[in-house]
Amino acid sequence: GSGEFDYSLSASREASAGISAASAQHGNSEADGYTNSTVSGRFGWSPGERGGIDLILRAVDNRAELDQDFGAGIVDDPNFTSFSQQRMARLQGRLNLLDQRWKQTLGLSLSTIRRDSKNRPDPAHADRYTSTFDGEIRQADWQHDLVLHETQTVTVGLATLEETGSSHTHSVSDYGTFNSEFPEKSATTD
């Protein structure tokens, strides 16, 4: 026939009004909230017992409110926030041979992350700060599971991974302007 299609979907949201990391003893009362939203899905198709194809997706967004530590203790900062976005996709093929005793999985994955931190000036803090990080991971892998006995499975495989990242930070304070640039760099692991 046409095979079997299967899927799973999930979504979650976590939110907290938070508490202040800065001590209430010194008049700090601003709560630092946090939110996290996650959506994921898995979609698979198996034309028969010999294998199939899967697509796995995931997205995560979060936001956190932060405080500052100026060396004299943590103080409230009402508009210092951090944001992050993560995305992941994986496509994999499965092949079963020798009456399911030799299972192979060949996969390709892509994962990205972006983190932004921003601190705009406010009446209590004249400083300005922005920071951005962008990262990406690409991976290819091939796994073999050999079932020698119902209680013994040997797993071997190959994988290659490339990780790329860059960042930029800019701040303006009483001490002057500061810029830090980390241009895009890559590293490969085999």
Side-chain angles (χ1 to χ4, degrees), residues 6-10 39-45 53-59 87-94 105-111 141:
D6 61 272
Y7 68 94
S8 68
L9 298 170
S10 69
V39 177
S40 60
R42 181 186 174 282
F43 308 89
W45 179 67
I53 297 172
D54 300 311
L55 175 63
I56 303 158
L57 303 169
R58 183 176 176 94
R87 303 292 183 258
M88 191 277 289
R90 177 173 172 82
L91 181 64
Q92 65 183 23
R94 295 173 280 111
T105 305
L106 179 63
L108 300 171
S109 302
L110 174 64
S111 178
D141 53 79

Side-chain angles (χ1 to χ4, degrees), residues 40-108:
S40 60
R42 181 186 174 282
F43 308 89
W45 179 67
S46 299
E49 290 183 10
R50 296 207 47 193
I53 297 172
D54 300 311
L55 175 63
I56 303 158
L57 303 169
R58 183 176 176 94
V60 180
D61 291 344
N62 65 50
R63 178 182 189 276
E65 297 171 353
L66 307 169
D67 285 325
Q68 289 279 0
D69 185 350
F70 294 103
I74 298 174
V75 296
D76 271 341
D77 196 332
N79 57 12
F80 187 17
T81 54
S82 175
F83 305 88
S84 119
Q85 286 187 328
Q86 295 174 287
R87 303 292 183 258
M88 191 277 289
R90 177 173 172 82
L91 181 64
Q92 65 183 23
R94 295 173 280 111
L95 179 62
N96 300 319
L97 301 170
L98 303 176
D99 288 331
Q100 308 270 343
R101 296 179 73 79
W102 180 15
K103 299 177 182 181
Q104 298 181 49
T105 305
L106 179 63
L108 300 171

Side-chain angles (χ1 to χ4, degrees), residues 14 27-28 32 36 44 83 117 128-130 132 149 152 169 178 187 190:
E14 177 183 357
N28 300 308
D32 296 314
N36 178 301
F83 305 88
S117 296
R128 208 170 46 236
Y129 171 85
T130 60
T132 300
H149 182 270
Q152 295 177 334
T169 300
F178 173 78
D190 294 320

